[in-house]
Amino acid sequence: GYREDEGLYLESDADEQLLIYLPFTQVVKLHSIVVKGPEEEGPKTVKLFSNREHMGFSNVNDFPPSDTAVLTPDNLKGKPVVLKFVKFQNVRSLTIFIEDNQSDSEVTKVNKIALFGTTVETTDMKGLKKIEDNH
Amino acid sequence: MVLEATMICIDNSEWMRNGDYSPSRLRAQADAVSLICGAKTQSNPENTVGILTMGGKGVRVLTTPTTDLGKILACMHELDIGGEMNIAAGIQVAQLALKHRQNKNQRQRIIVFAGSPVKYDRKVMEMIGKKLKKNSVAIDIVNFGEDDDGKPEKLEALLAAVNNNDSSHLVHVPTGPNALSDVLISSPVFTADGEGGSGFAAAAAAAAAGGVSDFDFGVDPNIDPELALALRVSMEEERARQEAAAKRAADEASRQGKEEEPLSNSQDATMTDNTNNTAAETTEKTADPMDEEKSLLERAFAMSMGTSVSDTSMADADTSKATDEDKELALALQMSMQDDTKDPSNQSDMSKVLGDQSFVSSILTSLPGVDPNDPSVKDLIASLQGQPEVCP
């Protein structure tokens, strides 16, 4: 479907940097990440910040990232980047800062971002049973 | 009512000595800045405004974004002229100042007064614009003064690079009779403030346009039709009252001594003081429509406007109030008495009603603020008594 369509991409506007904010509906642990993009304009340096809300380009360098990944052309084809698991144990939101791209062009393009991990705690609603009144 | 932090970049280069915008380009900018600050603060009390100058030895920040209008206005007085405008550095410093604003919830806006030539090329302007857009800073550019090679195009390039959903604007102010501030008031720089700011802007526009107005009453019927209508109606009533009062004064001047003048004065005072009460009375009395003399109309209007202004500005002292009114009333009386010779036919009904002495004296006693024993009133009576009967 649309998810694997190479013709659809996210591209940067004013310059080559991108800042993406992903809030989760529940707390998760992140294991690895996949970033797919074109060979030339695909991202190169990617910084991940966990649990930082309201980041902007102006304060992106104000605190250290939870992890940094430098993407190779293999990564851009779909090879996952394994993250520092210990840093992503209790993630409510993730901010992805794409600092530059493979060919240092004015525009960065991203086709797909995939996150792999587990949830921390959930209530399995199917397991809940109604308490019978006539005990 | 958008919450916004604004940095205003003022051009205080040598080009600003020029007087093609009165009184000088620099003072025109200062006026505009005061208006902008007022409008921003009024539209949202938490809005902050800061000032920096781009000319001189270099970019200098006079105030960081603050809500304190007094501080801003104080800075406007200290402006001095010199050097060249450095627009790129000015915008970048403004961006930095906004970055460090105290309330991070405020939107960021820069207002640039570009009066002198822009020495940077389009590429640089576009880069600056992109940086502003990336950091979601809106910009308003006021293009005035020097109009040299490519300056409009460069500014347009800057605007195109920054513009995000029309939040940024470029305003060209040509030289001419209209002051810089007036042109700005009707531009998106002010009106983009939204609902809150527009009230301030409209009031300022009305005040500014009071001297040079294309409309009858100095109030744009488009801005405020109700006010324009109210002014027109009150002016007609004023005129009717004046003529009636003058007629009565002329009639009774021959019959009675003192009573008429304070009476007519008080009658006039009534109409200017308590327009509400006597409005109904006058409209009833004035059965037939008066022939409008345009000059009489304008003078009556000026008088009523003058008295209403003096009414609002006076604090308490009844005597001072009476004195002011008496002078204006005397003037109005004399004017209307002169014109009575032109409009004799309409006076008869009025004179009959107002000839009823008891009715008039009852009105007199009910009036505040007119003291028949006031020396100025006495002088007035004496002077008016000397006039012969005007009405046939």
Side-chain angles (χ1 to χ4, degrees):
Chain A
Y2 291 118
R3 203 173 271 203
E4 302 302 330
D5 188 350
E6 294 287 319
L8 300 172
Y9 53 83
L10 170 72
E11 78 172 356
S12 64
D13 186 11
D15 59 4
E16 75 282 1
Q17 297 184 337
L18 279 168
L19 192 61
I20 301 167
Y21 175 62
L22 299 169
F24 293 99
T25 56
Q26 51 175 291
V27 181
V28 298
K29 298 184 209 250
L30 289 180
H31 174 267
S32 55
I33 179 174
V34 166
V35 177
K36 283 174 83 170
E39 212 176 307
E40 294 273 315
E41 296 109 339
K44 189 164 81 186
T45 311
V46 175
K47 292 186 176 167
L48 298 166
F49 299 85
S50 95
N51 298 335
R52 295 264 179 214
E53 279 84 40
H54 306 297
M55 283 193 73
F57 287 106
S58 48
N59 60 357
V60 103
N61 292 318
D62 286 351
F63 20 71
S66 307
D67 202 357
T68 311
V70 178
L71 300 178
T72 64
D74 279 344
N75 291 127
L76 290 176
K77 292 210 178 62
K79 182 173 167 214
V81 176
V82 177
L83 304 173
K84 290 200 185 91
F85 199 47
V86 291
K87 300 266 189 182
F88 294 99
Q89 289 294 300
N90 201 353
V91 178
R92 281 180 203 281
S93 74
L94 183 70
T95 307
I96 303 172
F97 174 50
I98 297 173
E99 205 167 355
D100 48 24
N101 55 49
Q102 299 284 332
S103 55
D104 286 330
S105 63
E106 279 289 307
V107 174
T108 305
K109 291 184 183 170
V110 179
N111 283 121
K112 177 179 170 182
I113 294 177
L115 300 170
F116 297 92
T118 67
T119 55
V120 175
E121 277 176 14
T122 44
T123 309
D124 181 14
M125 296 309 289
K126 298 191 188 66
L128 278 179
K129 279 199 168 101
K130 193 171 163 188
I131 297 173
E132 301 290 338
D133 280 329
N134 49 6
H135 263 144
Chain B
M1 295 297 256
V2 59
L3 184 54
E4 204 169 53
T6 308
M7 276 302 286
I8 304 184
C9 304
I10 296 184
D11 182 358
N12 63 336
S13 61
E14 285 288 345
W15 277 270
M16 295 301 112
R17 281 192 208 278
N18 198 329
D20 50 1
Y21 297 84
S22 62
S24 78
R25 288 178 179 176
L26 187 68
R27 296 298 348 149
Q29 279 188 79
D31 292 337
V33 168
S34 328
L35 278 175
I36 293 174
C37 296
K40 296 283 179 198
T41 317
Q42 228 191 26
S43 80
N44 188 324
E46 289 190 45
N47 280 348
T48 56
V49 181
I51 315 269
L52 63 79
T53 54
M54 294 189 284
K57 290 215 176 78
V59 175
R60 192 160 70 96
V61 175
L62 299 177
T63 53
T64 54
T66 170
T67 50
D68 186 1
L69 266 188
K71 199 168 162 199
I72 296 167
L73 294 174
C75 288
M76 300 310 299
H77 289 294
E78 293 167 0
L79 292 175
D80 49 354
I81 297 184
E84 272 190 15
M85 172 181 81
N86 186 347
I87 194 170
I91 295 178
Q92 283 166 340
V93 172
Q95 194 182 343
L96 197 63
L98 286 172
K99 180 176 165 178
H100 293 291
R101 64 197 185 281
Q102 281 180 327
N103 184 353
K104 298 288 179 198
N105 287 330
Q106 287 167 330
R107 307 250 184 95
Q108 306 174 67
R109 181 172 288 273
I110 299 178
I111 302 181
V112 180
F113 284 90
S116 39
V118 175
K119 58 182 188 248
Y120 297 93
D121 56 354
R122 276 191 66 167
K123 272 282 160 232
V124 176
M125 302 303 277
E126 281 176 4
M127 298 279 294
I128 296 172
K130 284 192 175 169
K131 237 179 133 217
L132 289 175
K133 186 171 172 185
K134 186 176 169 184
N135 289 298
S136 47
V137 178
I139 189 169
D140 290 332
I141 311 169
V142 181
N143 180 16
F144 69 109
E146 298 298 312
D147 201 15
D148 66 336
D149 49 327
K151 183 180 171 199
E153 287 82 25
K154 290 177 188 172
L155 295 177
E156 303 244 343
L158 175 61
L159 183 76
V162 181
N163 211 347
N164 189 8
N165 283 338
D166 276 336
S167 66
S168 302
H169 314 98
L170 171 59
V171 181
H172 294 278
V173 182
T175 57
N178 300 325
L180 183 63
S181 324
D182 294 340
V183 177
L184 279 183
I185 283 169
S186 52
S187 75
V189 174
F190 271 85
T191 54
D193 279 339
E195 323 77 27
S198 62
F200 176 92
V212 182
S213 82
D214 299 330
F215 305 103
D216 288 336
F217 310 126
V219 173
D220 186 353
N222 297 328
I223 289 177
D224 205 341
E226 289 154 1
L227 179 59
L229 181 66
L231 282 173
R232 197 172 344 120
V233 169
S234 74
M235 187 165 64
E236 287 175 12
E237 289 172 5
E238 163 74 24
R239 200 173 4 94
R241 233 183 276 261
Q242 256 188 312
E243 290 176 5
K247 180 85 165 95
R248 198 169 22 83
D251 276 349
E252 295 169 5
S254 58
R255 276 186 284 147
Q256 296 220 2
K258 262 186 187 179
E259 290 275 299
E260 283 87 22
E261 291 322 315
L263 189 135
S264 57
N265 284 348
S266 66
Q267 193 71 3
D268 287 343
T270 312
M271 72 184 148
T272 50
D273 271 349
N274 309 323
T275 41
N276 294 335
N277 299 342
T278 49
E281 288 177 69
T282 313
T283 45
E284 288 161 30
K285 289 174 207 163
T286 318
D288 35 19
M290 305 294 170
D291 287 336
E292 313 297 308
E293 299 278 332
K294 189 117 195 198
S295 57
L296 174 59
L297 212 113
E298 286 169 1
R299 276 175 302 185
F301 173 65
M303 192 207 84
S304 75
M305 286 302 283
T307 38
S308 58
V309 166
S310 63
D311 282 349
T312 53
S313 59
M314 280 183 284
D316 38 20
D318 275 349
T319 46
S320 66
K321 203 176 181 184
T323 315
D324 282 332
E325 286 168 6
D326 287 346
K327 289 192 190 110
E328 285 154 358
L329 292 168
L331 177 64
L333 273 172
Q334 282 169 0
M335 284 177 348
S336 51
M337 283 172 65
Q338 287 163 15
D339 292 322
D340 268 346
T341 52
K342 302 175 201 167
D343 291 342
S345 57
N346 299 327
Q347 303 301 323
S348 50
D349 290 343
M350 285 296 288
S351 59
K352 277 181 197 144
V353 174
L354 298 168
D356 189 343
Q357 188 53 37
S358 58
F359 168 73
V360 171
S361 49
S362 70
I363 293 177
L364 170 64
T365 51
S366 72
L367 283 177
V370 175
D371 183 5
N373 298 324
D374 195 348
S376 62
V377 175
K378 280 187 183 170
D379 291 344
L380 191 64
I381 295 161
S383 67
L384 281 169
Q385 270 186 334
Q387 285 196 9
E389 175 149 340
V390 181
C391 308

